Amino acid sequence: MGTRTEVDLSEFEELVAALRGAMPKAAHGALLGAAAIPVGEIKLRMAAAKHGRRYGDHIASAPGEAPAIDIGELAGSVRVLGGAHSPIEAWVEFGSDVPHAVYTEMGTSRMAPRPWLVSTTMEMEVRRAINRAFAQSLRALLRRFGGQ
């Protein structure tokens, strides 16, 4: 013995089409929100105690440490630099546009690297936090669509 239930899928097709149309912009917004995580972590690492040379009241970073904050130009410049979305992808770029940012990150012939960007953003716990924030934003979008 059995019974059969049928569902009209046309309603779901409209919902999926609406969701597909909203997804790129929502993904970009979710990434913008999630970008606050590495930006904040970078600034915290720059503000942390340093172990390099002392110059008056200032203690510089040691090789391998995030740069120490002196006048705050680099730390103050860390932000979302840009981003975009299309029907198939969304991205944001964050970092700094001050000229010496790359020199502190990579080092020079006269200074060892003071990594602050790549090492922070590649750290697994930071990446997990970005993924959690991104997923939370998209779940909220799905709840909004489910409530229609």
Side-chain angles (χ1 to χ4, degrees):
M1 182 172 168
T3 184
R4 180 178 171 155
T5 301
E6 294 180 10
V7 177
D8 179 6
L9 296 178
S10 63
E11 221 179 292
F12 294 106
E13 289 173 12
E14 291 172 17
L15 184 60
V16 168
L19 182 60
R20 189 175 291 121
M23 187 57 71
K25 184 176 179 182
H28 185 248
L31 280 173
L32 284 172
I37 293 166
V39 167
E41 185 64 28
I42 287 166
K43 291 180 180 189
L44 285 172
R45 290 178 186 199
M46 287 182 181
K50 303 301 174 193
H51 303 91
R53 293 181 62 186
R54 179 180 289 274
Y55 300 94
D57 292 335
H58 176 71
I59 300 175
S61 58
E65 288 182 330
I69 296 175
D70 187 8
I71 61 172
E73 181 184 24
L74 179 59
S77 71
V78 177
R79 61 185 170 75
V80 173
L81 299 173
H85 61 85
S86 73
I88 59 170
E89 70 177 356
W91 62 272
V92 295
E93 178 183 355
F94 50 92
S96 170
D97 54 6
V98 298
H100 65 278
V102 68
Y103 302 122
T104 56
E105 176 75 17
M106 305 303 289
T108 68
S109 62
R110 299 180 62 194
M111 180 188 79
R114 271 46 177 193
W116 57 274
L117 178 63
V118 176
S119 61
T120 303
T121 58
M122 296 309 288
E123 193 171 283
M124 199 50 115
E125 189 51 43
V126 172
R127 295 178 72 77
R128 284 187 191 113
I130 293 168
N131 288 340
R132 282 191 302 268
F134 181 75
Q136 184 178 7
S137 294
L138 294 184
R139 281 189 199 97
L141 174 68
L142 290 172
R143 282 192 297 274
R144 284 195 304 272
F145 270 85
Q148 287 184 343

